[in-house]
Amino acid sequence: MLPQRPLKLLCGALLALPSLWVHGGQAPAMVDLPPTETVQALILARPEVRAASAGLRADQAAGERLRASPHETTVRLQTQTRHSAEPGSAAPSQRYTEAQVALERTLRLPAKARQDDQVAQTTEALADVRKADAIHEASRALLRAWFDWQRDRALLALWHQQLEAQQALLDMAERRVRAGDAARTELLAQQAVWSQLETERQAAQTQEALSQARLNLHYPGLSAQAPPLSRPQASDLPVRPASEVIEALTNVSHERQVAERMADLAQAEAAKLDLGRQIDPTVGLYAARERGGAERVLGVSLSLPWGGAGREAAAKQGWAQALQAQESARSVSLAVRAQSEQAWLEAQGSLLRWQGLEASSQRLDELLQKMVKGWQLGEYGHGDVLQARRQHLDALKAAVAARADARHAACRLWLDLHEIWDFDDATPETVPAP
């Protein structure tokens, strides 16, 4: 583990390290990724993406409902029987059938209508960002699963190669034993190494099969289009200064955009609650037929609800929640910037780590070849060869894993910059499921 101060110095150096100006800010060709059309179809078929798309349609319908006004026209019908008798008269009372019909409608004030439209627009914008975020997160998951499988695939190929190399050493040990130049223990040691390598190859084969099965379970047929894992290069990373990359990652972050849209929505709803203190009048038109039709009535009604302390308290609550959402958005923005810096450092650091491990494995390979030749000539002992062989194998395994990590980090950076697999505006309806 690195000491604290050298680690801080390394992070500072990586942040200050500008890349070479080669690609002009655009992503290089990603030849070890599956075709974009296939990825897009698979991502848009994911249930979480379809759920977010349905949520967008639901919020669009909610926006239409808000724009249409919460008030509806009310039709009121009333009928009654009137008995009329003169006081002190012996004449029987008169009986009349009477009826009344009324038409009433609560009128939304123009300011409230405009604010409802603002709430609807903000709700739809939030749902749109959430759908884009679901697509982006699904793309991230696919990218991770893809490079997990590519790593296990490369490790399996490594063990096949090393078994062939070990077979050559085993044959060499057999010749030396037959010629009387070595003890039989050397042959037994090489056979033990071969068995160990075969065991590790079988474990790698199982792991590769599991990774492929998981990949095909969530993304059917994706492993059928499998280009080999590329060698990482400095030009794989964005060709802009670190500060520009971090700023761009922060600006296009869906997490930050969702938090900001939620703050906008809280602000719009608080303004709506504040306007709710104003009274919406209810206007009515009614007609009545009284005394069996002898009297006819036509009139207009107006009713005004009397706002109380509840509306005032609701407005205060809305503004407090809006302030809370704004502060939460600021907190999310800071966290996203920290994550962007971390992503940039990881991409740079993973490239440097792979370069170091690749160089180390090459030097150990050269050392192993020299020691094998020296072993044949009697200059080195068999134990020295076995130790060099194990060091070389460890370096190769680490280099292969670092290679996959470096490629994933670079592709993840371009994905988060929306330079590859940028189909956030697509919907499951526009691209058929595979």
Side-chain angles (χ1 to χ4, degrees), residues 35-347:
T36 301
E37 296 78 10
T38 302
V39 172
Q40 183 175 6
L42 290 169
I43 291 301
L44 294 180
R46 294 292 300 163
E48 62 269 25
V49 173
R50 291 186 174 274
S53 181
L56 172 60
R57 292 195 297 272
D59 285 334
Q60 288 172 340
E64 294 176 3
R65 178 177 57 82
L66 270 176
R67 293 184 180 97
S69 174
H71 307 308
E72 296 179 340
T73 301
T74 300
V75 178
R76 198 184 310 277
L77 298 174
Q78 178 180 333
T79 182
Q80 63 186 17
T81 300
R82 183 189 298 271
H83 295 270
S84 176
E86 292 294 332
S89 173
S93 62
Q94 297 293 319
R95 181 179 177 182
Y96 305 100
T97 299
E98 301 180 340
Q100 181 178 9
V101 59
L103 196 65
E104 297 177 347
R105 170 84 182 200
T106 301
L107 303 180
R108 182 172 51 171
L109 298 179
K112 289 187 176 182
R114 290 191 296 269
Q115 192 58 38
D116 283 343
D117 181 67
Q118 183 64 37
V119 171
Q121 291 182 25
T122 310
T123 301
E124 292 164 359
L126 174 59
D128 191 59
V129 174
R130 281 176 170 161
K131 188 209 73 171
D133 184 44
I135 291 175
H136 190 74
E137 289 301 320
S139 301
R140 281 180 169 184
L142 185 150
L143 190 69
R144 177 73 272 177
W146 174 261
F147 278 108
D148 283 346
W149 175 58
Q150 287 282 48
R151 179 199 60 227
D152 294 337
R153 187 172 169 230
L155 284 172
L156 179 59
L158 170 66
W159 291 124
H160 282 297
Q161 296 169 0
Q162 292 307 307
L163 272 173
E164 294 178 0
Q166 183 59 33
Q167 185 63 50
L169 291 177
L170 183 58
D171 294 341
M172 188 183 303
E174 289 178 347
R175 290 194 297 269
R176 283 173 56 82
V177 170
R178 286 197 301 267
D181 296 334
R184 186 168 180 79
T185 54
E186 292 190 5
L187 177 60
L188 293 175
Q190 291 295 342
Q191 289 175 340
V193 172
W194 192 95
S195 298
Q196 184 180 5
L197 287 175
E198 173 61 18
T199 301
E200 295 193 23
R201 185 202 65 79
Q202 292 175 356
Q205 185 172 5
T206 301
Q207 181 60 42
E208 187 273 340
L210 289 173
S211 296
Q212 185 179 20
R214 283 194 296 266
L215 184 69
N216 288 328
L217 174 64
H218 296 288
Y219 314 101
L222 190 61
S223 65
Q225 308 178 51
L229 187 64
S230 298
R231 288 176 61 85
Q233 303 177 25
S235 57
D236 289 343
L237 299 181
V239 292
R240 287 170 278 178
S243 58
E244 292 185 12
V245 175
I246 293 169
E247 188 68 24
L249 287 171
T250 303
N251 289 338
V252 299
S253 167
H254 291 112
E255 185 179 0
R256 182 190 63 82
Q257 293 176 18
V258 166
E260 290 181 351
R261 296 293 84 76
M262 290 179 66
D264 293 341
L265 180 59
Q267 184 84 10
E269 289 179 337
K272 178 181 177 180
L273 288 172
D274 195 51
L275 288 172
R277 293 183 297 177
Q278 301 178 14
I279 303 304
D280 287 337
T282 300
V283 179
L285 178 66
Y286 65 91
R289 179 177 179 274
E290 297 182 355
R291 297 181 64 83
E295 298 179 6
R296 296 178 183 273
V297 180
L298 183 64
V300 176
S301 65
L302 176 66
S303 62
L304 296 171
W306 192 265
R311 294 178 183 244
E312 183 74 24
K316 290 180 180 179
Q317 179 187 14
W319 288 119
Q321 290 173 340
L323 179 59
Q324 180 186 19
Q326 289 175 359
E327 295 303 323
S328 296
R330 292 190 183 95
S331 176
V332 169
S333 181
L334 291 174
V336 166
R337 184 168 185 84
Q339 293 168 6
S340 300
E341 291 180 357
Q342 181 180 353
W344 174 249
L345 286 173
E346 287 178 351

